[in-house]
Amino acid sequence: MLGAIFSIVTYGAYPNDNIDDTDAVKLAINKAIEAGQNNIVLFQAGTYNFKSVIGIYNAHKLTVMGQGMQQTLLLGNAPAAMFQPLNCRELTITALSIDFDPLPFTAGYVVSVNPTYLDVQIVSPHKADIDRKVSAILRYNPTMMRPAFGPDTYEIYQDPPSDRNTSLVSNDILRIPLKNPTKFVIGDPIVARYSHNRHAIDAQDVTDLNIHYVTIYTSWLMGLVAMRAKGLNINNYHVMPRSGRWMSTPVDCMHFSDCRNYINITDSKCVAQGDDGLNVHAFYLQVTQIISSTSLILREYNWPDVLNVGAGTRMEFSSSQQPFTVYTAATVVSTSIQGPNARVFVFTGPIFANVGDWVSVADTPVLTVRNLTVANNRARGVLLKTRRVQITNSLFIGTSGPAVLFEPSLDWHESVAAQDVKLLQNVYINCNEGIARQGGVISFAPFPPQLNRIFYDVIIQSSTFLFGPYTEGLLQSINAANVYIRGNYIATNSSAALVTICNSLNICAHNNTFVNNRFSVNSYIYDTRSPCREELSDLIGLSTSGFDSHFAPPVMATKAGVQPYDHQNYTHSFNTMDLSHILSLSNMIG
Ligand SMILES: *[C@@H]1O[C@H](CO)[C@@H](O)[C@H](O)[C@H]1NC(C)=O
Ligand SMILES: *[C@@H]1O[C@H](CO)[C@@H](O)[C@H](O)[C@H]1NC(C)=O
Ligand SMILES: *[C@@H]1O[C@H](CO)[C@@H](O)[C@H](O)[C@H]1NC(C)=O
Ligand SMILES: *[C@@H]1O[C@H](CO)[C@@H](O)[C@H](O)[C@H]1NC(C)=O
Ligand SMILES: *[C@@H]1O[C@H](CO)[C@@H](O)[C@H](O)[C@H]1NC(C)=O
């Protein structure tokens, strides 16, 4: 059944007139939703302006469409979200770009330092925005176009002083109030992020959300956020800085919490965002009271809405002593409110829970990622707290933390421990050299670390790892079991061991090529920090013979994505030769 086209011109939204189009676009969307399924809300080419959020409520089979990422630009002129889809099914947002003016951050060079402020010479196209509150400042590397790394790594977070805002010292010099003295010095290039909390696309309780051919240049927090989405299809989604900016979105490129069914991400790019490329997780709730064998009071630690898991959802339980180890599961029959942060949960069958136990949604989504690039961002490439993960043909370059981090956390109250993970044919270049650095380009690091294994069945295969000067290990394995490292090419000049092990079981390497021109390094070492104990690890098959093959990199980054490497052009000066190519590649990404 073909639907109708609702051209927003009909509702009074004209491009390039600098007039707020929010009401007209909302009207067009509401009319299209009222008219039934398969309708298209259509933008013309040009720039549209928005002073507040465009809500999309209860849409079924609706498409919101521009004329193309280069043609249609939605420009937010206030710190608001752009789209907020709620309770939609088969909603598609496509063929448009999103940007904001003013920007949610500024950047430039420190020209004066004082314990209570920094004066910053703002570099165009950033603006000297007055009356802002700055909540984070990081040192930047304008040559490499990424947050400063190695010994230059530095950032601060602050609750901005309440009695002072940013102010002008002179023409292009902005005074940024500081809560506490910092280590910034005159000459430091910095990016300062303002306080706000609106995502560009902020979806909740949606089923089969499609984001195709969408570019987000910036937002007032994250790029694409979905909470309790049952099915996400993301392709040709790009977060990248526009024309000379030093940052794209100030926080994550994609962030998906308590999603179900599946998340598919293909042919997408996350460049220069202020936090992770992709974060997928559920939430930990805690048992605070046992009412009966089938009825418990659970509290949340994030925000009250995370308790809305829905009737029919399977929840899994773990003890406070072994918080990431599931001992049972049960299905929710109903919930009722019990104070601001808690609910009574009634389950289909008895659960022998104790007060203090942790509870998470058990039905985590299948995550499939192909041809994703995460480049030059602050923090992780992908941060995964989910099961059944496959990442292939993806490029991680200049991520300041690990390219791939698995970290269920009782600090953030984010679940679950990953299992069934395949990382195949990926390229990792200059990762894990700055902010949020961990013990490996790929890191399994629960918070807090456990005595027992929680991550299972991991394959790291046919990938190319080119370490930067400050990259250390290949893999940090805390509490992992059944990890296979095979067919990889690893080039480093670091003296650090390739694998660091803590309380892990059955980790094997086979048929890997390891190139190190400077040092002979241990293929693995045991972490000695508490609670790691060597006798809690076993079946470690990581002898040097697992790393003594001599093949060329199996895959390499090209302009068209990660491809099998052209072996005919292979030379031993490959690293130096390709780094300049890679740099130009990361600069022109997009
Ligand atoms: C800071 O700026 C806001 C507007 O962004 C203004 O409402 C507030 O009064 C300012 N505070 C101070 C202390 O100047
Ligand atoms: C998601 O990706 C998987 C693996 O490529 C595929 O089998 C599945 O059909 C995809 N789902 C949708 C809805 O596109
Ligand atoms: C990877 O994705 C980009 C878009 O982000 C696309 O241009 C490119 O063709 C894709 N590469 C492959 C091999 O599919
Ligand atoms: C070793 O790994 C390389 C690169 O991934 C692959 O081409 C080759 O087939 C593997 N050899 C064996 C014997 O597994
Ligand atoms: C290691 O050092 C050599 C010599 O300085 C250099 O050519 C090569 O690019 C470096 N490799 C890596 C992976 O840093």
Tab-separated table of all heavy atoms in Angstrom, residues 548-581:
chain	number	residue	atom	x	y	z
A	548	ASP	N	54.091	-16.262	15.549
A	548	ASP	CA	55.302	-16.250	14.716
A	548	ASP	C	55.038	-16.559	13.244
A	548	ASP	O	55.915	-17.001	12.525
A	548	ASP	CB	56.363	-17.197	15.304
A	548	ASP	CG	55.920	-18.654	15.244
A	548	ASP	OD1	54.786	-18.923	14.776
A	548	ASP	OD2	56.710	-19.523	15.667
A	549	SER	N	53.832	-16.289	12.780
A	549	SER	CA	53.574	-16.439	11.347
A	549	SER	C	54.145	-15.236	10.596
A	549	SER	O	54.596	-14.267	11.206
A	549	SER	CB	52.070	-16.555	11.095
A	549	SER	OG	51.575	-17.735	11.694
A	550	HIS	N	54.143	-15.342	9.266
A	550	HIS	CA	54.744	-14.268	8.448
A	550	HIS	C	53.845	-13.915	7.286
A	550	HIS	O	54.237	-14.033	6.141
A	550	HIS	CB	56.117	-14.702	7.923
A	550	HIS	CG	57.118	-14.871	9.018
A	550	HIS	ND1	57.792	-13.806	9.575
A	550	HIS	CD2	57.527	-15.980	9.679
A	550	HIS	CE1	58.574	-14.253	10.544
A	550	HIS	NE2	58.436	-15.574	10.621
A	551	PHE	N	52.650	-13.553	7.556
A	551	PHE	CA	51.804	-13.122	6.434
A	551	PHE	C	51.620	-11.604	6.487
A	551	PHE	O	51.900	-10.961	7.500
A	551	PHE	CB	50.453	-13.850	6.444
A	551	PHE	CG	49.716	-13.841	7.758
A	551	PHE	CD1	48.996	-12.714	8.149
A	551	PHE	CD2	49.730	-14.958	8.597
A	551	PHE	CE1	48.316	-12.707	9.354
A	551	PHE	CE2	49.047	-14.942	9.808
A	551	PHE	CZ	48.340	-13.814	10.189
A	552	ALA	N	51.168	-11.053	5.385
A	552	ALA	CA	50.910	-9.616	5.289
A	552	ALA	C	49.596	-9.309	5.995
A	552	ALA	O	48.815	-10.219	6.277
A	552	ALA	CB	50.828	-9.221	3.819
A	553	PRO	N	49.331	-8.034	6.267
A	553	PRO	CA	48.056	-7.697	6.911
A	553	PRO	C	46.883	-8.278	6.119
A	553	PRO	O	46.831	-8.120	4.903
A	553	PRO	CB	48.034	-6.167	6.854
A	553	PRO	CG	49.462	-5.764	6.811
A	553	PRO	CD	50.154	-6.834	6.013
A	554	PRO	N	45.979	-8.976	6.776
A	554	PRO	CA	44.869	-9.585	6.045
A	554	PRO	C	43.894	-8.557	5.465
A	554	PRO	O	43.291	-8.798	4.426
A	554	PRO	CB	44.167	-10.457	7.091
A	554	PRO	CG	44.679	-10.024	8.413
A	554	PRO	CD	45.996	-9.351	8.202
A	555	VAL	N	43.735	-7.436	6.164
A	555	VAL	CA	42.820	-6.386	5.680
A	555	VAL	C	43.487	-5.031	5.901
A	555	VAL	O	44.401	-4.897	6.718
A	555	VAL	CB	41.463	-6.395	6.437
A	555	VAL	CG1	40.572	-7.533	5.975
A	555	VAL	CG2	41.680	-6.445	7.949
A	556	MET	N	43.061	-4.051	5.159
A	556	MET	CA	43.610	-2.708	5.326
A	556	MET	C	42.516	-1.684	5.089
A	556	MET	O	41.531	-1.959	4.403
A	556	MET	CB	44.772	-2.522	4.350
A	556	MET	CG	45.778	-1.476	4.752
A	556	MET	SD	46.297	-1.626	6.490
A	556	MET	CE	46.001	0.012	7.045
A	557	ALA	N	42.710	-0.483	5.664
A	557	ALA	CA	41.731	0.593	5.482
A	557	ALA	C	41.947	1.240	4.128
A	557	ALA	O	43.075	1.533	3.742
A	557	ALA	CB	41.908	1.632	6.582
A	558	THR	N	40.887	1.435	3.402
A	558	THR	CA	40.955	2.171	2.143
A	558	THR	C	39.833	3.203	2.174
A	558	THR	O	39.008	3.194	3.081
A	558	THR	CB	40.716	1.248	0.930
A	558	THR	OG1	39.327	0.910	0.897
A	558	THR	CG2	41.549	-0.020	1.000
A	559	LYS	N	39.809	4.048	1.173
A	559	LYS	CA	38.765	5.071	1.127
A	559	LYS	C	37.383	4.434	1.097
A	559	LYS	O	36.420	5.013	1.572
A	559	LYS	CB	38.944	5.945	-0.114
A	559	LYS	CG	40.029	6.990	0.064
A	559	LYS	CD	40.026	7.927	-1.120
A	559	LYS	CE	41.438	8.100	-1.632
A	559	LYS	NZ	41.487	8.874	-2.866
A	560	ALA	N	37.293	3.245	0.537
A	560	ALA	CA	35.977	2.601	0.414
A	560	ALA	C	35.671	1.690	1.593
A	560	ALA	O	34.745	0.896	1.541
A	560	ALA	CB	35.917	1.815	-0.883
A	561	GLY	N	36.471	1.799	2.659
A	561	GLY	CA	36.220	0.941	3.809
A	561	GLY	C	37.316	-0.098	3.951
A	561	GLY	O	38.319	-0.071	3.237
A	562	VAL	N	37.125	-1.025	4.871
A	562	VAL	CA	38.133	-2.060	5.124
A	562	VAL	C	38.047	-3.120	4.032
A	562	VAL	O	36.970	-3.648	3.758
A	562	VAL	CB	37.905	-2.661	6.526
A	562	VAL	CG1	38.742	-3.911	6.721
A	562	VAL	CG2	38.218	-1.620	7.590
A	563	GLN	N	39.172	-3.391	3.389
A	563	GLN	CA	39.204	-4.325	2.255
A	563	GLN	C	40.336	-5.328	2.480
A	563	GLN	O	41.268	-5.034	3.212
A	563	GLN	CB	39.520	-3.563	0.955
A	563	GLN	CG	38.634	-2.373	0.689
A	563	GLN	CD	37.359	-2.747	-0.026
A	563	GLN	OE1	37.092	-3.937	-0.230
A	563	GLN	NE2	36.558	-1.771	-0.391
A	564	PRO	N	40.264	-6.478	1.818
A	564	PRO	CA	41.435	-7.367	1.841
A	564	PRO	C	42.650	-6.584	1.369
A	564	PRO	O	42.546	-5.773	0.444
A	564	PRO	CB	41.064	-8.456	0.831
A	564	PRO	CG	39.571	-8.434	0.792
A	564	PRO	CD	39.169	-7.000	1.020
A	565	TYR	N	43.785	-6.786	2.051
A	565	TYR	CA	44.961	-5.987	1.720
A	565	TYR	C	45.563	-6.441	0.395
A	565	TYR	O	45.588	-7.627	0.085
A	565	TYR	CB	45.993	-6.110	2.839
A	565	TYR	CG	47.133	-5.147	2.661
A	565	TYR	CD1	46.898	-3.773	2.655
A	565	TYR	CD2	48.434	-5.608	2.491
A	565	TYR	CE1	47.933	-2.879	2.495
A	565	TYR	CE2	49.478	-4.717	2.333
A	565	TYR	CZ	49.221	-3.351	2.332
A	565	TYR	OH	50.249	-2.479	2.167
A	566	ASP	N	46.049	-5.488	-0.391
A	566	ASP	CA	46.662	-5.776	-1.679
A	566	ASP	C	48.088	-6.290	-1.441
A	566	ASP	O	49.020	-5.516	-1.288
A	566	ASP	CB	46.668	-4.484	-2.511
A	566	ASP	CG	47.296	-4.725	-3.867
A	566	ASP	OD1	47.791	-5.847	-4.113
A	566	ASP	OD2	47.280	-3.784	-4.665
A	567	HIS	N	48.224	-7.598	-1.412
A	567	HIS	CA	49.496	-8.202	-1.016
A	567	HIS	C	50.615	-7.896	-1.998
A	567	HIS	O	51.771	-7.909	-1.650
A	567	HIS	CB	49.326	-9.715	-0.853
A	567	HIS	CG	48.459	-10.038	0.301
A	567	HIS	ND1	48.753	-10.990	1.227
A	567	HIS	CD2	47.289	-9.495	0.703
A	567	HIS	CE1	47.801	-11.027	2.142
A	567	HIS	NE2	46.903	-10.134	1.834
A	568	GLN	N	50.260	-7.604	-3.244
A	568	GLN	CA	51.314	-7.343	-4.231
A	568	GLN	C	52.089	-6.092	-3.876
A	568	GLN	O	53.256	-5.956	-4.191
A	568	GLN	CB	50.684	-7.198	-5.603
A	568	GLN	CG	49.927	-8.458	-5.936
A	568	GLN	CD	49.820	-8.690	-7.409
A	568	GLN	OE1	49.461	-7.799	-8.152
A	568	GLN	NE2	50.144	-9.898	-7.813
A	569	ASN	N	51.409	-5.143	-3.232
A	569	ASN	CA	52.085	-3.903	-2.869
A	569	ASN	C	52.712	-3.970	-1.484
A	569	ASN	O	53.181	-2.975	-0.969
A	569	ASN	CB	51.085	-2.738	-2.896
A	569	ASN	CG	50.729	-2.399	-4.313
A	569	ASN	OD1	51.509	-2.669	-5.224
A	569	ASN	ND2	49.545	-1.836	-4.494
A	570	TYR	N	52.705	-5.132	-0.907
A	570	TYR	CA	53.204	-5.254	0.446
A	570	TYR	C	54.709	-5.061	0.493
A	570	TYR	O	55.451	-5.643	-0.289
A	570	TYR	CB	52.857	-6.633	1.005
A	570	TYR	CG	53.441	-6.869	2.360
A	570	TYR	CD1	52.935	-6.183	3.460
A	570	TYR	CD2	54.501	-7.736	2.538
A	570	TYR	CE1	53.468	-6.376	4.705
A	570	TYR	CE2	55.034	-7.939	3.789
A	570	TYR	CZ	54.524	-7.262	4.863
A	570	TYR	OH	55.056	-7.450	6.095
A	571	THR	N	55.164	-4.198	1.392
A	571	THR	CA	56.607	-4.073	1.627
A	571	THR	C	56.809	-4.037	3.129
A	571	THR	O	55.857	-3.835	3.885
A	571	THR	CB	57.181	-2.773	1.044
A	571	THR	OG1	56.652	-1.699	1.818
A	571	THR	CG2	56.853	-2.593	-0.415
A	572	HIS	N	58.067	-4.154	3.537
A	572	HIS	CA	58.290	-4.153	4.981
A	572	HIS	C	58.228	-2.747	5.570
A	572	HIS	O	58.137	-2.582	6.777
A	572	HIS	CB	59.589	-4.870	5.335
A	572	HIS	CG	59.398	-6.350	5.275
A	572	HIS	ND1	58.722	-7.029	6.246
A	572	HIS	CD2	59.729	-7.258	4.335
A	572	HIS	CE1	58.651	-8.317	5.912
A	572	HIS	NE2	59.258	-8.472	4.747
A	573	SER	N	58.299	-1.726	4.747
A	573	SER	CA	58.135	-0.363	5.270
A	573	SER	C	56.651	0.019	5.301
A	573	SER	O	56.293	1.178	5.410
A	573	SER	CB	58.920	0.637	4.431
A	573	SER	OG	58.438	0.611	3.103
A	574	PHE	N	55.855	-0.992	5.224
A	574	PHE	CA	54.409	-0.844	5.201
A	574	PHE	C	53.874	0.149	6.241
A	574	PHE	O	53.070	1.013	5.937
A	574	PHE	CB	53.814	-2.231	5.417
A	574	PHE	CG	52.402	-2.210	5.830
A	574	PHE	CD1	51.418	-1.990	4.896
A	574	PHE	CD2	52.048	-2.400	7.151
A	574	PHE	CE1	50.102	-1.959	5.279
A	574	PHE	CE2	50.737	-2.363	7.535
A	574	PHE	CZ	49.755	-2.150	6.597
A	575	ASN	N	54.362	0.050	7.478
A	575	ASN	CA	53.795	0.890	8.535
A	575	ASN	C	53.959	2.367	8.272
A	575	ASN	O	53.013	3.126	8.319
A	575	ASN	CB	54.441	0.569	9.872
A	575	ASN	CG	53.926	-0.736	10.405
A	575	ASN	OD1	52.768	-1.046	10.190
A	575	ASN	ND2	54.772	-1.484	11.057
A	576	THR	N	55.208	2.775	8.013
A	576	THR	CA	55.459	4.198	7.786
A	576	THR	C	54.739	4.654	6.528
A	576	THR	O	54.104	5.687	6.511
A	576	THR	CB	56.969	4.473	7.635
A	576	THR	OG1	57.579	3.297	7.139
A	576	THR	CG2	57.571	4.888	8.935
A	577	MET	N	54.835	3.819	5.509
A	577	MET	CA	54.194	4.175	4.255
A	577	MET	C	52.697	4.415	4.462
A	577	MET	O	52.153	5.405	3.997
A	577	MET	CB	54.390	3.041	3.268
A	577	MET	CG	53.828	3.297	1.894
A	577	MET	SD	54.063	1.831	0.894
A	577	MET	CE	52.738	0.803	1.476
A	578	ASP	N	52.103	3.544	5.213
A	578	ASP	CA	50.663	3.642	5.304
A	578	ASP	C	50.165	4.650	6.332
A	578	ASP	O	49.046	5.093	6.244
A	578	ASP	CB	50.067	2.265	5.587
A	578	ASP	CG	49.668	1.613	4.300
A	578	ASP	OD1	50.582	1.313	3.506
A	578	ASP	OD2	48.481	1.464	4.070
A	579	LEU	N	51.012	5.024	7.280
A	579	LEU	CA	50.505	5.940	8.291
A	579	LEU	C	50.131	7.291	7.694
A	579	LEU	O	49.109	7.867	8.036
A	579	LEU	CB	51.511	6.102	9.430
A	579	LEU	CG	51.366	5.014	10.491
A	579	LEU	CD1	52.405	5.191	11.581
A	579	LEU	CD2	49.974	5.020	11.106
A	580	SER	N	50.943	7.789	6.757
A	580	SER	CA	50.594	9.079	6.153
A	580	SER	C	49.301	8.927	5.349
A	580	SER	O	48.428	9.780	5.368
A	580	SER	CB	51.727	9.579	5.268
A	580	SER	OG	51.952	8.644	4.245
A	581	HIS	N	49.207	7.794	4.693
A	581	HIS	CA	47.983	7.516	3.940
A	581	HIS	C	46.781	7.472	4.886
A	581	HIS	O	45.730	8.026	4.611
A	581	HIS	CB	48.149	6.183	3.204
A	581	HIS	CG	46.872	5.651	2.648
A	581	HIS	ND1	46.183	6.288	1.640
A	581	HIS	CD2	46.139	4.579	2.988
A	581	HIS	CE1	45.092	5.607	1.382
A	581	HIS	NE2	45.028	4.574	2.181
